[in-house]
Structure formats: C-alpha cells, structure tokens
Amino acid sequence: MSTVNALGKDAFMNLLVTQMQHQNPLEPQADGEFLAQLAQFSSLEQLQGINDNIAKLMTFVDGLASVPTGATPTSTSST
C-alpha cells in the first residue's frame, strides 16, 4: 500500500470522526449526508484495490515482455 493511499484513508476517517464530534447536537448532520460520505469512503477503498490489481497486472505484463520468443511463461503465484 502506498503512503498516499494510507494517508487518504486515515485523513478521511479523521475528518469524519472530527465532524461527528463537533456537530451541533441540536442540528445533527442528516442521515443521507452521513451515508453518502460512507459510500464515498467505500468507493475509495474499492478504487484503491482496483489500482493495486492493475499495478500487479502491469508488473506481470512487463515480466512477459522479457520472456524470449517461443518460451512458455510460468506463473509463480497460486490462484
């Protein structure tokens, strides 16, 4: 996991907790807004997972480029 991804998750969670701690108890944040923020956080996590998988795929493809013509590439990971 890269530093940017970890910082993004931590920063989002810190902002969310701080927002909840400092909201006006007489006028709390609407449930819809809170759920929208949670959905955005979930989407962020999923996009980061996709990004990590694409990076792994690119590394694999780059490895295939170094295989001599006619050779059969072998996978080192178990799927």
Side-chain angles (χ1 to χ4, degrees):
M1 176 186 300
S2 73
T3 304
V4 174
N5 289 345
L7 178 62
K9 288 180 182 181
D10 290 343
F12 182 85
M13 289 304 292
N14 285 335
L15 285 171
L16 186 61
V17 169
T18 302
Q19 180 181 3
M20 291 177 70
Q21 289 174 338
H22 293 94
Q23 69 180 342
N24 182 349
L26 299 176
E27 295 179 22
Q29 183 179 14
D31 289 342
E33 291 177 35
F34 182 70
L35 292 175
Q37 289 177 346
L38 288 176
Q40 288 174 343
F41 181 66
S42 176
S43 295
L44 171 66
E45 283 188 316
Q46 291 175 358
L47 287 171
Q48 288 173 338
I50 291 169
N51 189 39
D52 290 344
N53 288 337
I54 289 173
K56 289 175 187 175
L57 180 61
M58 289 175 61
T59 302
F60 178 74
V61 170
D62 288 344
L64 288 178
S66 66
V67 174
T69 304
T72 304
T74 58
S75 175
T76 57
S77 65
S78 59
T79 309

